[in-house]
Amino acid sequence: MAVDKQDQVWIFTRPNPPVQVYTADGKFVRAWGESIVGKAHHIKIDLEGNVWLSDVGLHVVRKCTPEGKVLLTLGTPGEKGEDATHLNMPTDMAIAANGDVFVSDGYGNARVIHFDKRGKFIKAWGSLGTGSQNFSIPHAIELDSKGRLYVADRNNV
């Protein structure tokens, strides 16, 4: 779930339609996403009001307009992998004030990927393990007001 600047509640769910929008008092506003979502995982709304979706079924992260038009796709739809153009069941994304995107590529890969605002790969880090440079399942990711990146690793303590 996410809440936008108008206090609308956004729900990203596995049954169709996957993206559903409601007013704060529960009135249905709109829904979309059947043709662009494989298996819902996480939703975020950036500072400009764009809707970001992590899709563990299609191995992508998508940036969409609030009406559902795809503006950017990170990863190659339907193809899992571990390189600059492939994700493997990405779990979440964090969008920086400058538009850069950090993806927790957690279920299939154990890494975090940094893309610029146009979707160009900058770098990736992390691998499976329990050390200081490792993740097990990087499951959630967030930036604080100072630009510090936090990664919730579901299996490591």
Side-chain angles (χ1 to χ4, degrees), residues 5-6 10 48 57-58 73 75 83 102 116 124 126 129 134 139 146:
K5 291 180 181 177
Q6 293 78 37
W10 292 73
E48 296 176 353
L58 294 177
T73 299
D83 57 32
F102 297 87
D116 74 9
N134 301 122
H139 195 258
K146 294 182 180 178

Side-chain angles (χ1 to χ4, degrees), residues 120-142:
K120 179 183 174 201
F121 175 85
I122 295 176
K123 68 179 177 178
W125 66 92
S127 60
L128 184 61
T130 59
S132 63
Q133 303 296 311
N134 301 122
F135 297 109
S136 180
I137 298 178
H139 195 258
I141 192 165
E142 193 62 65

Side-chain angles (χ1 to χ4, degrees), residues 3-142:
V3 178
D4 66 18
K5 291 180 181 177
Q6 293 78 37
D7 286 332
Q8 295 181 117
V9 178
W10 292 73
I11 298 172
F12 193 35
T13 184
R14 292 189 178 160
N16 280 323
V19 179
Q20 301 172 20
V21 186
Y22 297 87
T23 63
D25 61 357
K27 181 181 173 191
F28 176 77
V29 176
R30 69 179 164 281
W32 50 267
E34 297 91 340
S35 64
I36 63 166
V37 175
K39 190 174 182 182
H41 197 270
H42 214 119
I43 187 169
K44 292 263 177 82
I45 299 173
D46 68 20
L47 296 172
E48 296 176 353
N50 297 302
V51 180
W52 291 80
L53 309 171
S54 64
D55 185 332
V56 295
L58 294 177
H59 310 288
V60 295
V61 167
R62 295 195 197 264
K63 174 185 177 182
C64 302
T65 67
E67 295 76 31
K69 178 183 176 189
V70 177
L71 301 173
L72 177 68
T73 299
L74 303 174
T76 304
E79 294 181 18
K80 60 184 172 180
E82 189 177 5
D83 57 32
T85 60
H86 291 85
L87 308 174
N88 191 347
M89 301 177 76
T91 54
D92 196 5
M93 59 268 129
I95 301 87
N98 70 354
D100 282 8
V101 183
F102 297 87
V103 175
S104 54
D105 194 18
Y107 280 131
N109 297 321
R111 64 181 181 158
V112 171
I113 310 160
H114 181 187
F115 297 94
D116 74 9
K117 66 181 178 181
R118 291 178 189 85
K120 179 183 174 201
F121 175 85
I122 295 176
K123 68 179 177 178
W125 66 92
S127 60
L128 184 61
T130 59
S132 63
Q133 303 296 311
N134 301 122
F135 297 109
S136 180
I137 298 178
H139 195 258
I141 192 165
E142 193 62 65

